[in-house]
Amino acid sequence: MDTKTTEKTEETAARPDGDLAEDAAVDDGAELPDGPHDDEGDARDEGDDAEEAAAGPEAGGVGSAAAAVVSAALSVVALTGTWTGRVVAERETLIGQIKTSGGGTPAQQISEIYGDAWHSTALVNGVFALLAVIVAAVVLALPRRPHWVRAIAVAGAVLGGLGLLLSVGTYLDLFLSLPTAGS
């Protein structure tokens, strides 16, 4: 502790009319409006502010960290498939069976029963992939995020983009085409 600060503390405490606000300011090492300037205390205060800003919720970004993890999880779900996609595919299969129950060409049966289910699964997975890319883009657009949050968001964006490409390719039958009925 600086001797000037100690002298002021003793002087203020000894005065019967000493102001309590002055006592608190001197005890905390803060400057008094009319007192001498303590350069060492100023440097320490600036360092403390920087540490508090780095440790605060704005710099840590709990929300952005959670969003980055959600983006990565959505992209993995888009790549592996979802329960929702399976339910939609089963529904399309049932509708196709109902439409072709009275008859229909083999090509129509393949299209209605398998093709629509195949495309609806790709559509649902594509929606999850698009959500993953959007969430990752929002996280990456936020300023001053820790490196690990950005890394997870980039992983979510890359995997989501890959899932989106696979979903579009599957929907448009670029990778595998529907089987054809022989003549």
Side-chain angles (χ1 to χ4, degrees), residues 2-164:
D2 191 33
T3 55
K4 293 178 184 175
T5 306
T6 307
E7 290 171 3
K8 281 201 168 270
T9 305
E10 291 171 0
E11 187 178 294
T12 306
R15 283 190 291 159
D17 62 336
D19 187 14
L20 292 179
E22 275 189 359
D23 290 342
V26 172
D27 289 340
D28 290 339
E31 295 178 13
L32 295 175
D34 57 347
H37 297 285
D38 184 14
D39 293 335
E40 188 179 307
D42 290 344
R44 186 183 66 232
D45 290 343
E46 289 173 9
D48 290 345
D49 291 343
E51 289 176 32
E52 287 176 12
E58 295 82 25
V62 174
S64 64
V69 171
V70 166
S71 169
L74 284 171
S75 61
V76 169
V77 166
L79 288 171
T80 60
T82 64
W83 175 82
T84 307
R86 189 70 197 145
V87 168
V88 170
E90 291 293 329
R91 182 180 186 278
E92 288 299 321
T93 300
L94 181 61
I95 290 171
Q97 288 173 349
I98 292 170
K99 283 183 180 178
T100 60
S101 66
T105 66
Q108 184 183 11
Q109 289 177 350
I110 290 171
S111 175
E112 292 292 328
I113 295 173
Y114 299 107
D116 290 349
W118 177 278
H119 293 145
S120 63
T121 300
L123 187 63
V124 170
N125 289 346
V127 168
F128 276 92
L130 183 62
L131 284 173
V133 169
I134 290 171
V135 171
V138 168
V139 171
L140 290 172
L142 296 173
R144 298 183 63 215
R145 297 295 163 222
H147 295 295
W148 68 271
V149 171
R150 289 193 173 279
I152 292 173
V154 167
V158 168
L159 290 174
L162 181 62
L164 196 56

